[in-house]
Each structure stands twice: as structure tokens, then as C-alpha cells.
Amino acid sequence: LLMIMAGITQLPQLKNLTGDSSISVSVGINFAAAVILGIPGVIFTSATIAIAHRVFRWNAKKGLWPVAYKTGYNWAIHVLAALTPAVAATLLPSRLEIGGLIISLGIMTLAALCYFGVETGLLVAAISVEKSASPLSLWKEECAWLAPQYIVLCLIGFFLGVAYDFQGNVGILVFTIPVLMMTYSQKEYINRTEKGVQELRRMNQELAG
């Protein structure tokens, strides 16, 4: 079930204004897999995400498949990033009362930050080698904007895991709704921001002319 959801949620990817980096809500599904199943589950969900990303890139480039080793690298990035939430899940309080929930949210927020750091750091490391560019500059330009989205998606993944503990697969399906809603809200935000940027560029060109 998590593999199917990971594949479906990976396909609608949201790009930044330059079009060079993107995010999908599959981040939350992969995080949930780490919380529920640990690394064995992440290995399979990450493979699904990497393959779905490969299909997306193929469609975007009109039949040109990405280099195979890049797909393998993406898969490895997702698995390594999920190590932190997989370990953090073993440290959570057994009872989710108010105090336990606050502690769990604190632990998972730190895990989300680590997930974000590992995933974007390894991605930028590869891009910087390919483009012979400064890793820090690339990270600030391409990845810094993703931090809030990553944290929210990871925490949604945590609550998806909590829903699974209480309701099983039904809990996973029900909690997928806010994940998909977040995709829509992010898309609307980026589209509106892009229109604003385009309008500012048009006005600047008129003033310069």
C-alpha cells in the first residue's frame, strides 16, 4: 500500500521558480514508511519513488530517459535520508498522551530536519560536481526554499504512522487526504508566485524600455 501511494504521490512534482529543483509529497510517504516499517520498508518505497521520478523525467524530456546511475543515486539518497526517522521511531514514547505527543513531535521534527539535510545535501553534492559549482550556493538557490515543506510533509508522515497504529491500512488511506491537499495548496502558491514574478519582470522591461 505504501509503495502504491509513494508512486502516485511522486508523479505530481512541484518545481521552484527557476525550474531546477522540485519536491513531491512522496517525502511524507517515505517518512511514514521509515516510522512504520523501518529501513526494510523504506528500501521498497524509495525504489518506487526513484522509478516514478524516472518516469516523470522521461515525460518531461519527451522520451529521453535519465541516466540509469542517477536513478540509483536518487534511490540511495532516499534510503540514507530515512535512516534518521527509522532510528528516531524507536525512541518514541509508547503512549501518545499529551506529554508523550509533545516529546514525539520534538523528536520527529529533529528527524525531519536531518532527513531534509541528508537528502538535499547529497543531491547538491552530486549537482555541484556535475556543474563544477559551489555546493553552498547551489543549496541556497535550489534547496533552501524546500525546508518548510519538508518539515511539514515529514510530520504528516509521522501522523500517518500514528494513524496506522490505531486504524491499520484504513488509517493510512484516510491520512493521505491532507497529503494530497498539501500538493494542491503548494501548486497554487507556486503558480501565484510565478505569475507575480512574471508581472514584475514585465514591468521592469517596460520601465527599462
Side-chain angles (χ1 to χ4, degrees), residues 14-19 186-202:
L14 304 176
K15 294 186 175 182
N16 68 349
L17 297 181
T18 65
Q186 284 179 324
K187 185 177 180 180
E188 287 296 304
Y189 170 76
I190 290 176
N191 287 342
R192 289 177 181 274
T193 305
E194 186 174 14
K195 288 180 181 178
V197 170
Q198 290 174 349
E199 180 64 18
L200 286 173
R201 287 174 179 170
R202 184 188 66 79

Side-chain angles (χ1 to χ4, degrees), residues 137-195:
S137 297
L138 277 175
W139 187 89
K140 288 180 178 179
E141 181 179 352
E142 299 295 339
C143 299
W145 71 284
L146 297 172
Q149 288 89 340
Y150 257 83
I151 293 172
V152 171
L153 285 171
C154 288
L155 290 180
I156 288 177
F158 162 63
F159 282 110
L160 195 153
V162 173
Y164 174 78
D165 284 340
F166 283 97
Q167 298 292 331
N169 290 337
V170 175
I172 291 180
L173 290 173
V174 171
F175 222 84
T176 305
I177 296 174
V179 176
L180 297 176
M181 289 177 62
M182 188 171 179
T183 301
Y184 176 78
S185 62
Q186 284 179 324
K187 185 177 180 180
E188 287 296 304
Y189 170 76
I190 290 176
N191 287 342
R192 289 177 181 274
T193 305
E194 186 174 14
K195 288 180 181 178

Side-chain angles (χ1 to χ4, degrees), residues 60-139:
K61 293 189 176 182
K62 298 179 180 180
L64 296 176
W65 283 95
V67 182
Y69 75 84
K70 290 185 178 181
T71 301
Y73 187 75
N74 285 337
W75 170 74
I77 287 176
H78 297 316
V79 174
L80 290 173
L83 285 173
T84 302
V87 173
T90 65
L91 305 176
L92 298 180
S94 57
R95 299 178 64 183
L96 284 181
E97 298 173 346
I98 296 299
L101 182 60
I102 293 174
I103 294 173
S104 296
L105 282 174
I107 292 173
M108 282 301 156
T109 300
L110 292 176
L113 289 170
C114 291
Y115 187 105
F116 168 70
V118 172
E119 188 157 281
T120 58
L122 290 174
L123 179 62
V124 165
I127 296 174
S128 66
V129 171
E130 186 177 17
K131 293 185 176 182
S132 298
S134 167
L136 183 58
S137 297
L138 277 175
W139 187 89

